[in-house]
Amino acid sequence: MNNWAGNIAYSTQAFEEAATGDAVRACVKAHARMKVLGTRHSFNGIADSSDRLVAVPGLDDVSIDVEAKTVTVGAGITYGQLAPVLHQQGWALHNLASLPHISVAGSISTGTHGSGETNGTLASAVSAIEFVSATGEFERLSRARDGETFKGAVVGLGALGVITRVTLDVEPAYMMRQHVYENMPLADVTDHFDAIQASGYSVSVFWDWQGSRVNAVWIKTRVDAAKPFDAPARFHGATRATKNLHPIAELSAEHCTEQLGAVGPWHERLPHFRMGFMPSAGRELQSEYFVPRRNAVDAILAVETLRDQIGPHLFITEIRAIAADDLWMSPACGQDSIAIHFTWKPDMDAVSRLQPRIERALAPYRARPHWGKLFMVTPSTLRSLYPNLPAFVALAKRYDPQGKFRNAFLNEHIFTM
Ligand SMILES: Cc1cc2nc3c(=O)[nH]c(=O)nc-3n(C[C@H](O)[C@H](O)[C@H](O)COP(=O)(O)OP(=O)(O)OC[C@H]3O[C@@H](n4cnc5c(N)ncnc54)[C@H](O)[C@@H]3O)c2cc1C
């Protein structure tokens, strides 16, 4: 069995699905080592196991608490399954990633995010979590009751146990529109970075690092915004697109959510890609680095010095804003961030050569890698980037003293002390 991108062949054939919380408990009790798979969209070995893989797609129930303004979901549900149900009942999430195909539990476990300078990671919407720890018992933690333990557990890298339920904050459903602007001069992006980020609820800058103009800026706005975006024909030197576009220009926009300012529900505008269609390129690799928002322009220009090396191997880069959260292992913990993402052509050798150069260029900005994507940052650097990492290790050991949920990825990057 492989991950979605096909670059990781999982290290065991032993696989089972657990369809209920009790089945999860039985499975955890029965096996000495295991790893849970979400929808397998991570690009590194974070979900791999050499012993046993378990999945929980049957845990997909949805229960809305109108008073508390929360929804509690089974951990195997995908955002693509959940969002239409929420919308039908008049509710919404604060944000979504570029694709709805990913599971809620897998996404929050890696600090997955969308864009928007006021929007935290998807994990920042979690208000409670239920998981089965190594002893096979249910553990329940909530934002209101469990303080630091909760903050440590939510972006849990799959290390604490098998998540069975997640409670997420919801808000009244809202409508959105998105406009795409093509060919924005780089000088406008750098000189007016803050104004461009502030122009929409969720803004993405797509660039192949070639030439003096970025390829496209996608601006997603809420219809209920206090100051609606008036979508001028020209915006910071860029031209408003007159047809739907894919972030990778050669690919069909049929895969993408509706643009051209057409009003639609939040869950059909926040992701770039539509459920039921192939997101992104398909055969690809990805890496992504979070830098503090205040260093955004310097960090972008530092990567730009590598443009000739990056160019031949890249499909597209996406630059997004993420609001700070307080979740220990979130790449946006404690700092408003800008994430610089790379969708690479599927040439692992080339990506492995380029990554250390990109990581060196970004090192002065203390770039934190995305947990679900490719990176080569050393464990000692990770420790310096995550002040709570020792506390996270202690927390994981509390729920999993024998390392039942550890794997090579966690041993190499996290449990190094
Ligand atoms: C085309 C594409 C586009 C992407 N776009 C974005 C984006 O816009 N923003 C972004 O931030 N990321 C993005 N990603 C990365 C993706 O969001 C993350 O890799 C995310 O973790 C995938 O979720 P998953 O359900 O596939 O989890 P998996 O990759 O299957 O697992 C990830 C981790 O979660 C753990 N896990 C999963 N389920 C459970 C559970 N029930 N209990 C405990 N642990 C569990 C696994 O053990 C593993 O450690 C993208 C990936 C792809 C392939």
XYZ file of all heavy atoms in Angstrom, residues 307-396:
719
model
N 16.218 30.587 -7.762
C 15.202 30.420 -8.817
C 15.665 29.531 -9.964
O 14.910 28.690 -10.456
C 14.783 31.782 -9.358
C 15.980 32.557 -9.894
C 15.689 34.016 -10.082
N 14.878 34.226 -11.260
C 14.339 35.395 -11.579
N 14.520 36.435 -10.780
N 13.646 35.529 -12.655
N 16.941 29.681 -10.399
C 17.405 28.898 -11.547
C 17.506 27.415 -11.206
O 17.302 26.554 -12.059
C 18.777 29.410 -12.024
C 18.655 30.819 -12.582
O 17.523 31.238 -12.890
O 19.695 31.499 -12.682
N 17.834 27.120 -9.941
C 17.931 25.720 -9.522
C 16.537 25.115 -9.312
O 16.288 23.961 -9.636
C 18.733 25.628 -8.217
C 20.181 26.091 -8.394
C 20.871 26.301 -7.055
O 20.953 25.387 -6.246
N 21.366 27.503 -6.823
N 15.641 25.927 -8.752
C 14.296 25.425 -8.433
C 13.469 25.227 -9.709
O 12.766 24.221 -9.868
C 13.577 26.425 -7.481
C 14.243 26.402 -6.104
C 12.085 26.102 -7.374
C 13.708 27.475 -5.149
N 13.574 26.180 -10.623
C 12.693 26.250 -11.792
C 12.436 24.932 -12.503
O 11.269 24.542 -12.682
N 13.481 24.194 -12.921
C 13.238 23.000 -13.735
C 12.476 21.891 -13.000
O 11.943 20.991 -13.647
C 14.655 22.510 -14.074
C 15.570 23.632 -13.759
C 14.902 24.468 -12.720
N 12.453 21.944 -11.679
C 11.894 20.818 -10.910
C 10.543 21.119 -10.268
O 9.958 20.273 -9.605
C 12.898 20.410 -9.821
C 14.222 20.052 -10.407
N 14.408 18.926 -11.176
C 15.406 20.710 -10.406
C 15.659 18.884 -11.603
N 16.279 19.961 -11.154
N 10.074 22.325 -10.478
C 8.874 22.770 -9.753
C 7.649 22.812 -10.650
O 7.733 23.243 -11.799
C 9.149 24.196 -9.220
C 8.106 24.756 -8.276
C 8.310 24.191 -6.867
C 8.161 26.291 -8.228
N 6.489 22.368 -10.109
C 5.222 22.698 -10.763
C 4.840 24.131 -10.387
O 4.618 24.963 -11.236
C 4.109 21.738 -10.332
C 4.143 20.402 -11.023
C 4.171 19.231 -10.277
C 4.113 20.308 -12.395
C 4.180 17.993 -10.903
C 4.114 19.078 -13.043
C 4.156 17.912 -12.284
N 4.772 24.376 -9.052
C 4.334 25.713 -8.613
C 4.620 25.875 -7.109
O 4.624 24.882 -6.379
C 2.826 25.939 -8.912
C 2.464 27.417 -8.953
C 1.932 25.187 -7.940
C 2.949 28.177 -10.142
N 4.854 27.109 -6.713
C 4.934 27.456 -5.285
C 3.659 28.180 -4.888
O 3.067 28.913 -5.696
C 6.173 28.346 -5.025
O 7.273 27.511 -4.697
C 5.968 29.317 -3.870
N 3.239 27.970 -3.645
C 2.095 28.717 -3.114
C 2.527 29.377 -1.804
O 3.152 28.728 -0.955
C 0.904 27.783 -2.855
C -0.322 28.538 -2.330
C -1.552 27.655 -2.139
O -1.431 26.422 -2.268
O -2.625 28.212 -1.854
N 2.194 30.650 -1.652
C 2.548 31.389 -0.431
C 1.243 31.787 0.262
O 0.362 32.405 -0.362
C 3.398 32.628 -0.793
C 4.696 32.166 -1.488
C 3.700 33.458 0.457
C 5.488 33.277 -2.140
N 1.121 31.372 1.524
C -0.133 31.609 2.270
C 0.157 32.178 3.655
O 1.240 31.951 4.202
C -0.905 30.287 2.438
C -1.502 29.782 1.158
C -2.193 28.445 1.317
N -1.258 27.330 1.293
C -1.597 26.050 1.306
N -2.875 25.721 1.397
N -0.696 25.098 1.270
N -0.822 32.844 4.238
C -0.701 33.398 5.596
C -1.480 32.519 6.573
O -2.555 32.014 6.234
C -1.258 34.815 5.636
N -0.926 32.353 7.767
C -1.598 31.565 8.818
C -1.487 32.342 10.127
O -0.389 32.754 10.508
C -0.942 30.172 8.998
C -0.935 29.404 7.674
C -1.664 29.355 10.067
C 0.376 29.406 6.980
N -2.606 32.501 10.825
C -2.582 33.196 12.119
C -1.943 32.299 13.183
O -2.047 31.063 13.118
C -4.002 33.564 12.530
N -1.327 32.926 14.174
C -0.690 32.189 15.265
C -1.720 31.352 16.018
O -2.895 31.723 16.125
C -0.037 33.181 16.229
N -1.273 30.201 16.541
C -2.087 29.455 17.505
C -1.204 29.112 18.700
O -0.059 29.575 18.780
C -2.727 28.207 16.857
C -1.695 27.215 16.344
O -0.651 27.046 17.005
O -1.913 26.604 15.278
N -1.770 28.341 19.649
C -0.988 28.024 20.845
C -0.805 26.513 21.011
O -0.579 26.018 22.107
C -1.642 28.646 22.085
C -3.086 28.180 22.267
O -3.535 27.312 21.478
O -3.752 28.670 23.187
N -0.904 25.785 19.911
C -0.771 24.325 19.956
C 0.709 23.975 19.810
O 1.351 24.385 18.834
C -1.623 23.712 18.840
C -3.094 24.158 18.898
C -3.848 23.727 17.648
C -3.769 23.635 20.164
N 1.240 23.250 20.784
C 2.693 23.098 20.924
C 3.419 22.760 19.632
O 4.460 23.316 19.342
C 3.012 21.993 21.932
C 2.646 22.288 23.345
C 2.118 23.452 23.834
C 2.787 21.395 24.447
N 1.921 23.336 25.178
C 2.319 22.082 25.587
C 3.240 20.083 24.572
C 2.315 21.498 26.840
C 3.237 19.500 25.817
C 2.784 20.202 26.950
N 2.906 21.747 18.902
C 3.657 21.267 17.736
C 3.123 21.851 16.430
O 3.519 21.424 15.344
C 3.627 19.724 17.694
C 4.282 19.072 18.897
S 5.957 19.685 19.204
C 6.830 18.904 17.859
N 2.249 22.833 16.519
C 1.782 23.503 15.302
C 2.904 24.350 14.738
O 3.552 25.101 15.482
C 0.593 24.395 15.628
O 0.395 25.333 14.580
N 3.138 24.284 13.425
C 4.184 25.145 12.837
C 3.864 26.635 12.977
O 4.750 27.458 12.798
C 4.197 24.724 11.361
C 3.585 23.369 11.328
C 2.571 23.349 12.440
N 2.635 26.963 13.328
C 2.284 28.375 13.556
C 2.186 28.687 15.048
O 1.674 29.741 15.428
C 0.962 28.706 12.858
N 2.716 27.786 15.894
C 2.604 28.018 17.340
C 3.332 29.303 17.729
O 4.530 29.473 17.450
C 3.203 26.841 18.109
S 2.950 27.007 19.895
N 2.608 30.212 18.341
C 3.218 31.417 18.899
C 3.572 32.483 17.894
O 4.077 33.538 18.280
N 3.335 32.247 16.608
C 3.702 33.301 15.656
C 2.807 33.316 14.419
O 2.574 32.282 13.786
C 5.173 33.178 15.234
C 5.562 31.864 14.645
C 7.085 31.685 14.614
O 7.830 32.215 15.431
N 7.549 30.921 13.644
N 2.310 34.527 14.090
C 1.667 34.709 12.792
C 2.690 34.308 11.752
O 3.866 34.696 11.854
C 1.264 36.173 12.593
C 0.095 36.563 13.487
O -0.679 35.660 13.871
O -0.030 37.759 13.804
N 2.254 33.540 10.763
C 3.233 32.914 9.863
C 2.859 33.096 8.393
O 1.699 33.336 8.052
C 3.303 31.408 10.152
O 3.671 31.184 11.494
N 3.893 32.938 7.582
C 3.699 32.792 6.135
C 4.285 31.440 5.772
O 5.399 31.106 6.209
C 4.454 33.902 5.356
C 3.795 35.256 5.599
C 4.527 33.597 3.866
C 2.455 35.451 4.927
N 3.536 30.649 5.021
C 4.046 29.345 4.602
C 4.431 29.412 3.128
O 3.645 29.875 2.302
C 2.998 28.267 4.835
N 5.658 28.959 2.846
C 6.151 28.918 1.463
C 6.160 27.452 1.047
O 6.926 26.647 1.578
C 7.563 29.525 1.352
C 7.578 30.945 1.937
C 8.024 29.530 -0.103
C 8.968 31.594 1.967
N 5.282 27.137 0.108
C 5.038 25.740 -0.266
C 5.597 25.466 -1.668
O 5.564 26.336 -2.539
C 3.518 25.493 -0.230
C 3.097 24.319 -1.034
N 2.985 23.058 -0.486
C 2.778 24.190 -2.341
C 2.609 22.208 -1.431
N 2.473 22.868 -2.557
N 6.058 24.230 -1.880
C 6.599 23.823 -3.176
C 5.862 22.569 -3.654
O 5.885 21.552 -2.963
C 8.087 23.495 -3.063
C 8.913 24.638 -2.523
C 9.001 24.858 -1.144
C 9.585 25.498 -3.384
C 9.752 25.914 -0.639
C 10.333 26.556 -2.886
C 10.420 26.773 -1.504
N 5.206 22.638 -4.802
C 4.710 21.423 -5.449
C 5.749 21.041 -6.493
O 5.932 21.749 -7.491
C 3.340 21.648 -6.132
O 2.395 22.107 -5.167
C 2.819 20.354 -6.747
N 6.452 19.932 -6.217
C 7.581 19.510 -7.057
C 7.150 18.472 -8.086
O 6.249 17.670 -7.825
C 8.671 18.853 -6.196
C 9.265 19.690 -5.111
C 9.045 19.582 -3.768
C 10.202 20.763 -5.272
N 9.787 20.514 -3.087
C 10.511 21.254 -3.996
C 10.822 21.358 -6.395
C 11.396 22.302 -3.787
C 11.696 22.396 -6.186
C 11.980 22.863 -4.898
N 7.868 18.451 -9.204
C 7.735 17.315 -10.122
C 8.277 16.076 -9.398
O 9.113 16.200 -8.498
C 8.525 17.594 -11.404
C 7.921 18.771 -12.176
C 8.751 19.174 -13.371
C 8.133 20.421 -13.993
N 9.017 21.058 -14.996
N 7.797 14.876 -9.761
C 8.111 13.689 -8.943
C 9.521 13.162 -9.179
O 9.698 12.038 -9.647
C 7.044 12.683 -9.380
C 6.681 13.099 -10.755
C 6.847 14.576 -10.847
N 10.529 13.964 -8.855
C 11.925 13.560 -8.998
C 12.582 13.708 -7.630
O 13.071 14.771 -7.259
C 12.601 14.466 -10.044
C 14.085 14.141 -10.231
O 14.644 13.386 -9.404
O 14.669 14.655 -11.195
N 12.560 12.599 -6.876
C 13.011 12.640 -5.481
C 14.473 13.061 -5.366
O 14.845 13.775 -4.436
C 12.787 11.254 -4.854
C 12.901 11.227 -3.363
S 11.673 12.303 -2.571
C 12.478 12.591 -1.023
N 15.309 12.634 -6.332
C 16.730 13.004 -6.256
C 16.888 14.516 -6.348
O 17.637 15.127 -5.579
C 17.533 12.338 -7.392
C 17.648 10.843 -7.169
O 17.428 10.406 -6.027
O 17.934 10.121 -8.137
N 16.175 15.106 -7.280
C 16.285 16.562 -7.458
C 15.768 17.283 -6.207
O 16.387 18.238 -5.715
C 15.492 16.992 -8.691
N 14.640 16.806 -5.670
C 14.074 17.457 -4.482
C 15.042 17.310 -3.302
O 15.274 18.268 -2.549
C 12.674 16.869 -4.154
C 12.141 17.410 -2.839
C 11.691 17.177 -5.284
N 15.657 16.157 -3.188
C 16.611 15.945 -2.080
C 17.840 16.840 -2.227
O 18.456 17.212 -1.240
C 17.080 14.488 -2.024
O 15.977 13.653 -1.898
N 18.221 17.146 -3.444
C 19.356 18.065 -3.646
C 18.965 19.498 -3.311
O 19.745 20.266 -2.747
C 19.814 18.020 -5.120
C 20.833 16.942 -5.438
C 21.532 17.210 -6.768
N 20.658 17.571 -7.867
C 19.980 16.698 -8.623
N 20.082 15.412 -8.388
N 19.203 17.115 -9.608
N 17.720 19.859 -3.668
C 17.302 21.253 -3.509
C 16.915 21.594 -2.070
O 17.120 22.726 -1.613
C 16.097 21.538 -4.417
C 16.459 21.684 -5.893
C 15.222 21.573 -6.764
C 17.137 23.042 -6.102
N 16.368 20.616 -1.374
C 15.842 20.933 -0.039
C 16.856 21.524 0.917
O 16.578 22.528 1.567
C 15.182 19.706 0.560
C 13.755 19.628 0.080
C 12.929 18.735 0.916
O 13.211 17.553 1.009
N 11.934 19.287 1.540
N 18.073 20.948 1.018
C 19.035 21.557 1.949
C 19.365 22.997 1.558
O 19.601 23.835 2.432
C 20.272 20.657 1.826
C 19.797 19.396 1.200
C 18.594 19.730 0.393
N 19.361 23.282 0.248
C 19.672 24.658 -0.181
C 18.548 25.603 0.229
O 18.794 26.712 0.707
C 19.861 24.699 -1.703
C 21.063 23.876 -2.138
C 21.195 23.842 -3.648
N 21.937 22.640 -4.029
C 22.027 22.165 -5.253
N 21.453 22.791 -6.254
N 22.713 21.064 -5.500
N 17.326 25.150 0.054
C 16.180 25.987 0.457
C 16.181 26.151 1.979
O 15.967 27.255 2.498
C 14.854 25.365 -0.051
C 14.813 25.432 -1.576
C 13.644 26.063 0.558
C 13.672 24.664 -2.205
N 16.456 25.058 2.674
C 16.456 25.127 4.151
C 17.575 26.036 4.655
O 17.389 26.765 5.628
C 16.548 23.703 4.734
C 15.261 22.939 4.460
C 15.264 21.485 4.919
O 16.276 21.031 5.502
O 14.249 20.799 4.682
N 18.720 26.033 3.948
C 19.807 26.961 4.336
C 19.378 28.407 4.105
O 19.609 29.277 4.935
C 21.077 26.659 3.536
C 22.112 25.889 4.339
C 23.503 25.924 3.732
N 23.562 25.550 2.329
C 23.582 24.287 1.884
N 23.553 23.286 2.727
N 23.637 24.022 0.591
N 18.728 28.635 2.957
C 18.300 30.013 2.640
C 17.279 30.511 3.671
O 17.240 31.706 3.998
C 17.711 30.058 1.235
N 16.461 29.584 4.170
C 15.401 29.985 5.112
C 15.821 29.899 6.577
O 15.084 30.366 7.462
C 14.152 29.116 4.889
C 13.401 29.369 3.578
C 12.247 28.385 3.433
C 12.878 30.806 3.520
N 17.014 29.337 6.828
C 17.440 29.131 8.221
C 17.457 30.421 9.047
O 17.048 30.404 10.223
C 18.807 28.442 8.257
N 17.892 31.563 8.472
C 17.897 32.786 9.297
C 16.500 33.165 9.795
O 16.377 33.924 10.767
C 18.418 33.864 8.341
C 19.118 33.118 7.248
C 18.436 31.790 7.137
N 15.477 32.649 9.124
C 14.096 33.005 9.516
C 13.467 31.901 10.370
O 12.265 31.915 10.613
C 13.260 33.298 8.259
C 14.032 34.228 7.361
C 14.588 33.769 6.168
C 14.297 35.533 7.753
C 15.368 34.606 5.385
C 15.071 36.376 6.973
C 15.608 35.903 5.801
O 16.397 36.731 5.045
N 14.290 30.963 10.788
C 13.839 29.900 11.684
C 12.598 29.197 11.121
O 11.559 29.078 11.769
C 13.599 30.450 13.094
C 14.896 31.041 13.690
C 14.736 31.622 15.065
N 14.123 30.728 16.037
C 14.684 29.640 16.559
N 15.895 29.292 16.178
N 14.050 28.912 17.449
N 12.777 28.717 9.876
C 11.652 28.110 9.154
C 11.283 26.755 9.747
O 12.146 25.894 9.930
C 12.023 27.961 7.686
N 10.008 26.590 10.019
C 9.506 25.306 10.536
C 8.899 24.507 9.377
O 8.029 25.022 8.676
C 8.420 25.548 11.589
C 8.927 26.220 12.859
C 7.752 26.619 13.740
N 8.188 27.106 15.041
C 7.375 27.727 15.898
N 6.096 27.929 15.596
N 7.829 28.139 17.068
N 9.324 23.264 9.194
C 8.758 22.478 8.089
C 7.354 21.970 8.399
O 7.005 21.764 9.566
C 9.732 21.295 7.976
C 10.334 21.147 9.331
C 10.348 22.516 9.965
N 6.561 21.771 7.349
C 5.237 21.134 7.489
C 5.471 19.672 7.861
O 6.247 18.969 7.209
C 4.512 21.232 6.145
C 3.073 20.835 6.176
N 2.629 19.606 6.622
C 1.956 21.512 5.804
C 1.302 19.538 6.507
N 0.867 20.688 6.016
N 4.755 19.195 8.883
C 4.973 17.824 9.378
C 4.556 16.754 8.376
O 5.008 15.607 8.488
C 4.209 17.609 10.687
C 4.746 18.405 11.840
C 4.090 19.397 12.514
C 6.030 18.276 12.467
N 4.896 19.898 13.515
C 6.089 19.230 13.505
C 7.141 17.461 12.242
C 7.216 19.381 14.320
C 8.260 17.608 13.051
C 8.284 18.551 14.073
N 3.693 17.093 7.442
C 3.194 16.070 6.508
C 3.894 16.115 5.154
O 3.479 15.416 4.233
N 4.926 16.948 5.028
C 5.575 17.094 3.724
C 7.062 16.767 3.847
O 7.557 16.479 4.939
C 5.322 18.513 3.194
C 3.808 18.799 3.104
C 3.450 20.112 2.434
C 1.937 20.312 2.469
N 1.507 21.557 1.836
N 7.787 16.809 2.744
C 9.202 16.411 2.758
C 10.063 17.499 3.378
O 9.881 18.681 3.077
C 9.667 16.139 1.324
C 8.944 14.993 0.634
C 9.264 14.985 -0.860
C 9.326 13.658 1.270
N 10.988 17.107 4.235
C 11.961 18.066 4.773
C 13.207 17.322 5.218
O 13.193 16.094 5.385
C 11.356 18.881 5.936
C 10.986 18.088 7.158
C 11.911 17.837 8.163
C 9.691 17.599 7.323
C 11.570 17.110 9.300
C 9.335 16.864 8.455
C 10.277 16.625 9.452
N 14.286 18.088 5.426
C 15.545 17.474 5.869
C 16.105 18.166 7.102
O 17.242 17.914 7.501
C 16.550 17.495 4.714
C 16.055 16.619 3.567
S 17.023 16.741 2.059
C 18.284 15.548 2.389
N 15.334 19.044 7.695
C 15.744 19.768 8.908
C 16.154 18.752 9.983
O 15.461 17.753 10.186
C 14.551 20.629 9.405
C 14.860 21.277 10.739
C 14.184 21.668 8.357
N 17.272 19.020 10.660
C 17.788 18.035 11.622
C 16.988 18.063 12.931
O 16.364 19.085 13.268
C 19.255 18.341 11.980
O 19.288 19.625 12.623
C 20.141 18.346 10.754
N 17.055 16.966 13.703
C 16.346 16.936 14.990
C 16.780 18.067 15.926
O 15.949 18.638 16.635
C 16.732 15.579 15.580
C 17.106 14.743 14.411
C 17.653 15.660 13.367
N 18.069 18.417 15.913
C 18.488 19.464 16.851
C 17.897 20.814 16.419
O 17.512 21.628 17.261
C 20.004 19.529 16.977
O 20.568 19.901 15.760
N 17.793 21.028 15.107
C 17.145 22.263 14.652
C 15.666 22.246 15.039
O 15.119 23.255 15.501
C 17.310 22.430 13.126
O 18.696 22.379 12.830
C 16.732 23.743 12.640
N 15.020 21.094 14.863
C 13.600 21.010 15.250
C 13.433 21.364 16.727
O 12.500 22.084 17.100
C 13.039 19.612 14.978
C 12.815 19.257 13.499
C 12.397 17.792 13.368
C 11.764 20.167 12.866
N 14.357 20.875 17.533
C 14.254 21.186 18.978
C 14.367 22.688 19.211
O 13.676 23.250 20.057
C 15.333 20.433 19.766
C 14.927 19.003 20.108
C 15.718 18.485 21.308
N 17.141 18.419 21.051
C 17.740 17.440 20.368
N 17.033 16.437 19.893
N 19.042 17.454 20.174
N 15.248 23.347 18.428
C 15.404 24.789 18.641
C 14.189 25.560 18.096
O 13.886 26.649 18.564
C 16.697 25.291 17.997
O 16.523 25.401 16.606
N 13.497 24.972 17.124
C 12.333 25.661 16.533
C 11.073 25.484 17.361
O 10.143 26.282 17.269
C 12.074 25.112 15.125
C 13.172 25.367 14.083
C 12.881 24.585 12.798
C 13.274 26.859 13.783
N 11.031 24.376 18.126
C 9.826 24.055 18.914
C 10.191 24.012 20.395
O 10.578 22.957 20.912
C 9.241 22.705 18.475
C 8.530 22.780 17.156
C 9.201 22.524 15.977
C 7.193 23.138 17.083
C 8.558 22.620 14.748
C 6.540 23.236 15.868
C 7.234 22.966 14.702
O 6.583 23.072 13.505
N 10.047 25.129 21.106
C 10.422 25.143 22.527
C 9.665 24.098 23.341
O 10.165 23.629 24.365
C 10.045 26.562 22.984
C 9.521 27.286 21.781
C 9.577 26.390 20.590
N 8.468 23.701 22.875
C 7.677 22.728 23.633
C 7.963 21.286 23.245
O 7.280 20.377 23.723
C 6.179 23.001 23.439
C 5.736 24.233 24.200
O 6.062 24.386 25.369
N 5.026 25.121 23.532
N 8.960 21.070 22.386
C 9.183 19.696 21.926
C 9.520 18.738 23.080
O 8.954 17.641 23.156
C 10.246 19.664 20.827
C 10.222 18.416 19.945
C 10.695 18.726 18.532
C 11.073 17.309 20.518
N 10.386 19.125 24.033
C 10.633 18.197 25.156
C 9.358 17.892 25.950
O 9.135 16.747 26.360
C 11.649 18.958 26.023
C 12.318 19.914 25.071
C 11.253 20.318 24.091
N 8.517 18.889 26.129
C 7.261 18.649 26.853
C 6.340 17.745 26.032
O 5.620 16.899 26.593
C 6.566 19.983 27.147
N 6.377 17.896 24.710
C 5.564 17.026 23.849
C 6.029 15.574 23.974
O 5.207 14.653 24.080
C 5.641 17.493 22.392
C 4.897 16.590 21.444
C 3.507 16.610 21.397
C 5.576 15.690 20.631
C 2.810 15.760 20.538
C 4.889 14.840 19.779
C 3.500 14.869 19.729
N 7.339 15.380 23.975
C 7.877 14.020 24.117
C 7.408 13.423 25.448
O 6.965 12.265 25.511
C 9.424 14.042 24.021
C 10.030 12.725 24.487
C 9.845 14.344 22.581
N 7.464 14.219 26.508
C 7.033 13.722 27.823
C 5.537 13.382 27.803
O 5.111 12.367 28.360
C 7.329 14.775 28.890
N 4.760 14.218 27.129
C 3.308 13.971 27.038
C 3.038 12.670 26.274
O 2.217 11.838 26.693
C 2.642 15.157 26.320
C 1.130 15.134 26.222
C 0.497 15.304 27.601
C 0.638 16.238 25.284
N 3.733 12.504 25.152
C 3.527 11.281 24.354
C 3.910 10.057 25.188
O 3.221 9.028 25.147
C 4.354 11.354 23.073
